[in-house]
Amino acid sequence: MTAVALREALHLVDVLAGTGGTLVTRVAGEIVFTGVSIDSRTTPAGALFVAVRGPRFDGHDFLAEAAGRGARAALVHRDAEAPAGLPRVRVADTTRGLADLARHVRREAALPVVAVTGSVVKTTTKDMTAHLLATRGPVLKTEGNLNNQYGLPLTLLRLAPEHTAAVLEMGMSAPGEIRALSTLAEPDVATITRIAPVHLEFFPSVDAIADAKAEILEGLRPGGTAVLNGDDPRVRVIGERFSGRVVWFGRDRRFEVSAENERVDAQQAHEPSSGPSSERTRATRASRGSGVGMTFDLRVAGRSVAVALPLAGPHFVTSFLAAAAAAHVLGIPLEAMAEAATSLRPARHRGEVRRLGERVVLLDDCYNSSPEALEAALVALSLLPGERRVAVLGDMLELGPTGPALHRERGRALAGRVDALVGVGPLAREIVEGAREAGMPPGSLHHFATAAQTALALPRLVRPGDAVLVKASRGVRLEAVVDALAARFGEGEA
């Protein structure tokens, strides 16, 4: 249900006020909406249908379908055939109207908004931030990939009276996109996780990517806070140029939010949680839920608490520090953060550790990939128990002309770190060739053109006792490989 301030739903008067639109059809009485939709195929009964025009479709052509599914009114920017009983609000442009309406709802809702961007781990950081803020009450957060010009306003339009905060992820594929999203959302806190060679298909350099990510600070509300990664040189430059308040996070204790005594807990046995225990023991027990976890001392503004993440890999610690910094700005107690950390879980296909059968451990990280994210996943793989380490690596997409060289470079770095390598896709052939150049035995190297071919062959290449990493960009669809391994070896204890 969508709400503005303390009302129970979005009203027609809100649509008119937020968009500056004109009601072009006669309406008897007030109209109350249960939601907002831009897809006529999934428009729920009682919703406002926004007829946006995209590169391959125009919502104005589907007004009848939206009305047939129960839409109570439509936002339009041109004349179009529509059922006689469907009220319409006319604006100059419906995509802009959607954003204006979302901004109106955001301004009417008296709650803090956190915006998160970065080249890597922004989704994980968004989820962790929402998890920590949820210690104070329900939190609205970006779901799936709804982090663009359509998804972000649709997320804001789900604000409800019970929400105590909103955490919004902001993605981009061109300069100016994050500026538009941030000025729409008007965040109180803006987080930048890290700058890395991602989306080089759309940007001339990593520095250009940094400039585009810095746009998130332009939408900050007066008195807002930038939460920035002090370990990243390009993010440090962004912070040095920013005139507002900055809360730095990172591994060095000079930062306001930092981690100390970081270590891996690779214990496999579950310990009973009853009975008295120290804070350190509680933290260690929590990390054992998934077999491998990270334990460390979280330092915030000079205070310290033991934290355990039941997640595999130091990169999760970095994401947690970013989340803790945002939570600190918004007044979440340090002890509440530590307690909440014990129940964190990775999102689907984003660093999930799964036991297959009795002796295969799978690191399912197939949702996305980049050179830096791949390195983090390989570190996580090294922490898992296993007689051999097998890396199933697909194409890293959107790297532009640098793609082949970056893939080969990653391949050269695999020698001595994995026992077997399976490349999937045309660019992944460069990973295999790089590993071959670095001295990996030919018998340990395999390549397949597609995920489907890999899914058929991989169960024969993986042995009981192996630790297996599956990672690629989303377009490679390595979920098929994950499913094939689960079918071959069966699901074990989580």
Side-chain angles (χ1 to χ4, degrees), residues 145-161:
N145 60 355
L146 296 178
N147 60 6
N148 58 17
Q149 64 174 333
Y150 301 119
L152 187 138
L154 287 172
T155 298
L156 278 171
L157 289 166
R158 292 194 294 110
L159 277 169

Side-chain angles (χ1 to χ4, degrees), residues 29 226 384 442:
L384 299 180

Side-chain angles (χ1 to χ4, degrees), residues 114-123 125-126 147 168-172 178 181-182 189-195 199 209-210 212-217 227-229 235 238 249 322:
V114 180
V116 180
T117 195
S119 299
V120 293
V121 302
K122 59 180 176 292
T123 297
T125 301
K126 175 261 299 180
N147 60 6
L168 307 174
E169 180 180 327
M170 296 184 179
M172 67 172 194
I178 288 183
L181 297 177
S182 186
V189 179
T191 301
I192 302 178
T193 61
R194 198 163 187 86
I195 308 299
H199 303 309
I209 293 172
K213 295 295 186 183
E215 293 172 5
I216 196 172
L217 304 183
V227 168
L228 303 178
N229 186 350
V235 178
I238 293 171
F249 67 90

Side-chain angles (χ1 to χ4, degrees), residues 333-383:
L334 194 57
E335 293 74 17
M337 298 186 208
E339 183 64 30
T342 64
S343 56
L344 278 166
R345 297 294 181 268
R348 184 75 170 148
H349 301 307
R350 293 178 184 268
E352 288 184 287
V353 176
R354 299 168 59 182
R355 294 178 179 275
L356 304 181
E358 296 181 357
R359 300 189 57 213
V360 173
V361 179
L362 171 65
L363 177 54
D364 177 2
D365 203 15
C366 68
Y367 186 86
N368 214 338
S369 192
S370 67
E372 185 164 320
L374 174 55
E375 174 59 27
L378 289 167
V379 172
L381 176 65
S382 72
L383 305 179

Side-chain angles (χ1 to χ4, degrees), residues 145 348-350 365-370 394-398 451 471-480:
N145 60 355
R348 184 75 170 148
H349 301 307
R350 293 178 184 268
D365 203 15
C366 68
Y367 186 86
N368 214 338
S369 192
S370 67
D395 294 348
M396 297 180 287
L397 303 176
E398 297 184 353
K471 188 166 184 63
S473 286
R474 183 71 181 85
V476 184
R477 302 187 183 280
L478 286 192
E479 299 95 327

